[in-house]
Amino acid sequence: MLKSTAGALQDFEATVDRYLIELERIDMESLLAKTNEEEWSIGQMFVHLIQTAQFMQLQNADHCLAGSGAAVTTTEDKTEIGRTVYESGSFPPVRVRVPASPQYTPHQPESKEQLIEGLRGVVERMKRTEPAVSQAPEQMKLPHPRFGPLNAKEWFLLVEMHYRHHFLQLDRLKNELSLV
């Protein structure tokens, strides 16, 4: 059974509050620090969360709501990993590695304010989107690269799960930089 969109929004707001508290504690130098060239900085992780929510997950939810873009009506189901993620309500607690590339690697943030505004912007968009996705048709879907076809509600729920999953990365990076 999927979490309600209202419950996911409430959980998401609490998750973002935790990220905002973390941002208060970390200085700009530490936000930009990288342990090696293959790793992201904490700042890049924040940029990733903001951009993925705005330009993939919520954008795809909007496409499903409008029946636009590549959204199609289908009864096709998620992949096995997609079903597992949605049944458990979270990503597996494993590190996901994607090779560095200009298309995927997030840029370094310009300021803490940019990150704070970005996080707050995602919260506002989630609040605006939630009423529509809670009523969205389940058959209008867009494919996720690993999880298969997702409808508007599933794309919406993915935002909260994705942000929560990145606490593992935040904790690891803080440990590596001796910020704990």
Side-chain angles (χ1 to χ4, degrees), residues 14 19 22 56-57 85 87 108 133 138-140 160 175:
Y19 277 124
E22 292 284 355
M56 180 189 180
Q57 295 150 345
V85 164
E87 286 168 7
Q108 290 279 23
V133 296
E138 292 184 16
Q139 289 75 27
M140 185 62 66
E160 188 273 333
N175 270 338

Side-chain angles (χ1 to χ4, degrees), residues 33-148:
K34 293 171 64 165
T35 55
N36 65 60
E37 278 309 304
E38 290 300 309
E39 292 289 333
W40 290 355
S41 68
I42 293 172
Q44 285 175 296
M45 183 204 75
F46 277 105
V47 169
H48 165 75
L49 288 171
I50 294 161
Q51 290 183 337
T52 303
Q54 293 283 26
F55 303 114
M56 180 189 180
Q57 295 150 345
L58 292 171
Q59 183 173 303
N60 285 344
D62 288 343
H63 284 309
C64 289
L65 289 168
S68 62
V72 295
T73 300
T74 181
T75 56
E76 189 178 340
D77 199 12
K78 293 178 272 307
T79 62
E80 187 174 333
I81 183 72
R83 282 190 299 279
T84 301
V85 164
Y86 282 90
E87 286 168 7
S88 68
S90 64
F91 289 16
V94 295
R95 188 170 175 188
V96 177
R97 288 182 178 258
V98 177
S101 72
Q103 300 82 12
Y104 188 76
T105 303
H107 57 78
Q108 290 279 23
E110 295 171 19
S111 65
K112 283 174 106 172
E113 292 74 26
Q114 172 196 11
L115 300 176
I116 292 165
E117 287 174 22
L119 290 169
R120 289 183 176 150
V122 175
V123 170
E124 289 309 309
R125 187 164 175 194
M126 291 281 283
K127 287 179 179 178
R128 287 192 313 270
T129 305
E130 189 276 330
V133 296
S134 68
Q135 306 297 318
E138 292 184 16
Q139 289 75 27
M140 185 62 66
K141 300 178 182 183
L142 261 167
H144 180 279
R146 290 190 63 216
F147 302 154

